Amino acid sequence: MRAITQNEFGGPLTLTDVPKPAPLPTEVLVRVHAAGVNPVDWKTRAGGGMAGLQTFPFINGWDVSGVVEEVGFGVTTLKAGDEVYGMPWFPRAASAYAEYVTAPSRHFAKKPKGLTHVEAAALPLAALTAYQVLVDTADVQKGQKVLISAAAGGVGHLAVQIAKAHGAYVIGTAREAKHAFLKDLGADEVVDYTKSNYEGTDVDLFVDLVGGASPAPVRPGGLFVGVPSGVDRPVRDDIRTSPVLVEPDRAGLQAIAALVESGELRVHVDATFPLQEAGQAHALGETGRTQGKIVLETL
């Protein structure tokens, strides 16, 4: 099968022929139709991110949408022919930049009805991050004020919608050119971070998707969540803090699919690239100016 490999951190991404994997008991073999591209991908390629957990030759990527081709012994939740999406193995290597992946069957869920594989591949890591922050960690409630930085990005634009689906009042930060996009997604307020530090805001939850933000906007008793690097410095003693690292989550994927199918969540794909152009996809992502997600097509 074809896969994108690298033999050293910082090295080139190369289209290579590698052995096709076979599923172990409780695993499935998935024919990958599309693979999502996330910041952790290019950070890991360069030697950051999850680099310390990987071995060479390394096949990057965690977001997958495809079709189950074979099931291992003991699998009861999926069958050959099922269309699935997921974020298997994270933070260990999932090797999603390839034509096939194997992983535990419960790292996947049925692909949301009505989505293409490209759209579905854009969801898992970003949507699970948003869902696990807002629902599992913060238990966001109707009427609460939620501030989301980088709100037009991969995680951010999904977090805006998930927070709104749970009845929150959502404030997003983005450059002015992206304000209309966020308003269309349901944001109640949008702040241009190049013109305002938004520290006068009084919110119940601040989801920092950039890193290093001040917790000043959080009201006493509120929650400050740092993604992706956690809270790396002392903060106020009158608020709660929590680091979050996304993890495979079949129940979360099913809840996300339900939001998609009810019309409460839509994913924006900014650009697609063929598998062999993974390097160009990373270069685009590293500009920090994309809106929504980048996806590789493997078919």
Side-chain angles (χ1 to χ4, degrees):
M1 71 170 187
R2 300 183 309 153
I4 296 293
T5 63
Q6 65 181 108
N7 293 311
E8 61 181 352
F9 293 121
L13 299 176
T14 306
L15 187 65
T16 311
D17 286 325
V18 300
K20 179 181 174 181
L24 298 175
T26 74
E27 292 184 348
V28 292
L29 173 69
V30 174
R31 175 62 168 99
V32 180
H33 287 226
V37 178
N38 296 285
V40 69
D41 299 8
W42 57 77
K43 291 175 183 177
T44 301
R45 185 208 74 234
M50 300 300 154
L53 301 177
Q54 316 309 330
T55 58
F56 295 110
F58 173 56
I59 301 174
N60 210 321
W62 283 274
D63 276 345
V64 170
S65 183
V67 177
V68 175
E69 188 164 286
E70 184 180 346
V71 300
F73 175 80
V75 173
T76 60
T77 58
L78 296 171
K79 65 183 184 303
D82 283 343
E83 293 188 315
V84 296
Y85 80 131
M87 184 201 68
W89 295 116
F90 190 85
R92 299 183 184 186
S95 304
Y97 293 5
E99 292 179 320
Y100 292 90
V101 299
T102 55
S105 64
R106 292 174 188 266
H107 286 192
F108 296 98
K110 299 287 184 64
K111 180 175 72 69
K113 294 182 179 68
L115 291 192
T116 66
H117 283 292
V118 166
E119 292 167 326
L123 276 171
L125 192 147
L128 281 175
T129 299
Y131 190 87
Q132 289 171 12
V133 168
L134 292 161
V135 180
D136 297 340
T137 301
D139 188 24
V140 67
Q141 298 294 312
K142 183 177 181 179
Q144 288 186 324
K145 277 191 173 183
V146 177
L147 173 63
I148 300 168
S149 64
V155 175
H157 86 290
L158 299 170
V160 167
Q161 298 172 79
I162 292 171
K164 288 299 298 180
H166 284 78
Y169 182 95
V170 178
I171 306 165
T173 77
R175 290 177 178 269
E176 188 172 356
K178 298 178 180 179
H179 287 195
F181 171 66
L182 289 176
K183 285 285 190 178
D184 186 55
L185 294 179
D188 297 285
E189 292 182 41
V190 187
V191 177
D192 186 344
Y193 66 87
T194 68
K195 299 177 181 178
S196 171
N197 62 11
Y198 49 83
E199 291 195 358
T201 311
D202 182 31
V203 300
D204 299 284
L205 170 64
F206 181 6
V207 183
D208 176 19
L209 296 175
V210 178
S214 166
V218 183
R219 65 165 181 79
L223 177 63
F224 179 48
V225 179
V227 183
S229 58
V231 181
D232 57 2
R233 57 192 174 81
V235 296
R236 293 162 31 202
D237 59 10
D238 62 343
I239 65 172
R240 296 169 293 132
T241 63
S242 178
V244 171
L245 183 63
V246 67
E247 56 186 305
D249 179 5
R250 177 171 174 255
L253 289 170
Q254 290 173 326
I256 290 161
L259 288 173
V260 171
E261 291 167 5
S262 69
E264 295 174 280
L265 181 66
R266 66 183 191 268
V267 62
H268 178 78
V269 177
D270 192 66
T272 61
F273 293 84
L275 182 63
Q276 63 269 24
E277 294 181 9
Q280 291 93 313
H282 279 208
L284 175 61
E286 288 173 313
T287 67
R289 293 291 177 262
T290 54
Q291 185 169 285
K293 294 297 299 295
I294 302 169
V295 178
L296 298 175
E297 296 185 83
T298 60
L299 285 179

